[in-house]
Amino acid sequence: MESFSWVFAALGNSVFAAANAEVNRKFQQEPFRLNMVRTGLAALCWFPLVLIQEWPTGQEFYIAAVFSGLVITYGNIVLNGLSANLNGRVAVLHIPLKAIAIFAIWPFLDAGAWAHITQEEPWQVVTGLMFFAIMVAAINAMRKNDASWSAMKSLVPVIAFYTAADIVA
């Protein structure tokens, strides 16, 4: 069961991202302010743990943390704007697209991981390809709606930056 703990974290992330987008769709807050309030609340929740955590000494951690922080700030502001102006569902499309992008890029970064997946766990490749086909069909159906398609195009830089931040982290 320990190897599947990431599933619960991923589902929780998806639920909270969708809830944030849906709340902002309803209340239509200014994206920058909403991001600052949300970030402030998260900082208050994490602050006690920061005091007891032993901090890394290498600068790579801090470079990755600053990069990820900037990317997440930019992405959240764009996504909050999309959820307020269009609808909450459009704003959470980045989650599966980012996962597919990481899945596609990772073999170029770690050939051993690709060999492991294809040889020892080929069902993951088949499942990934099935979901990719479903996603392509869904995106193709979205093209028929101009608002959804324009929102999708504005998500491309967010997806690219979120993918890079996840890989760096």
Side-chain angles (χ1 to χ4, degrees):
M1 187 65 172
E2 206 173 290
S3 65
F4 283 103
S5 61
W6 65 268
V7 171
F8 300 111
L11 289 174
N13 180 53
S14 296
V15 167
F16 284 115
N20 181 62
E22 191 59 24
V23 166
N24 194 38
R25 182 189 66 80
K26 182 173 180 158
F27 294 108
Q28 298 190 356
Q29 295 296 307
E30 193 267 321
F32 184 79
R33 182 183 328 160
L34 178 64
N35 189 54
M36 291 302 112
V37 168
R38 195 179 94 164
T39 303
L41 291 173
L44 285 174
C45 291
W46 283 102
F47 185 71
L49 298 174
V50 168
L51 298 175
I52 61 173
Q53 176 66 36
E54 187 175 321
W55 289 87
T57 56
Q59 77 179 40
E60 296 86 6
F61 168 80
Y62 297 100
I63 292 170
V66 168
F67 175 72
S68 295
L70 292 172
V71 165
I72 290 168
T73 299
Y74 163 75
N76 283 340
I77 290 169
V78 170
L79 295 174
N80 288 334
L82 285 174
S83 66
N85 296 329
L86 296 172
N87 67 49
R89 292 181 302 267
V90 172
V92 295
L93 283 174
H94 72 282
I95 297 170
L97 296 172
K98 178 185 71 168
I100 293 293
I102 292 170
F103 186 78
I105 292 170
W106 202 257
F108 298 106
L109 302 174
D110 185 0
W114 183 248
H116 171 75
I117 289 173
T118 56
Q119 293 170 4
E120 297 183 28
E121 301 180 41
W123 62 272
Q124 287 186 354
V125 175
V126 172
T127 305
L129 291 174
M130 279 181 9
F131 285 119
F132 179 74
I134 292 169
M135 182 189 65
V136 167
I139 289 172
N140 192 38
M142 284 180 55
R143 291 184 71 167
K144 296 173 185 159
N145 181 334
D146 289 341
S148 294
W149 186 242
S150 68
M152 187 69 196
K153 290 188 287 188
S154 64
L155 281 175
V156 170
V158 174
I159 294 165
F161 283 132
Y162 274 9
T163 299
D166 280 2
I167 288 172
V168 167

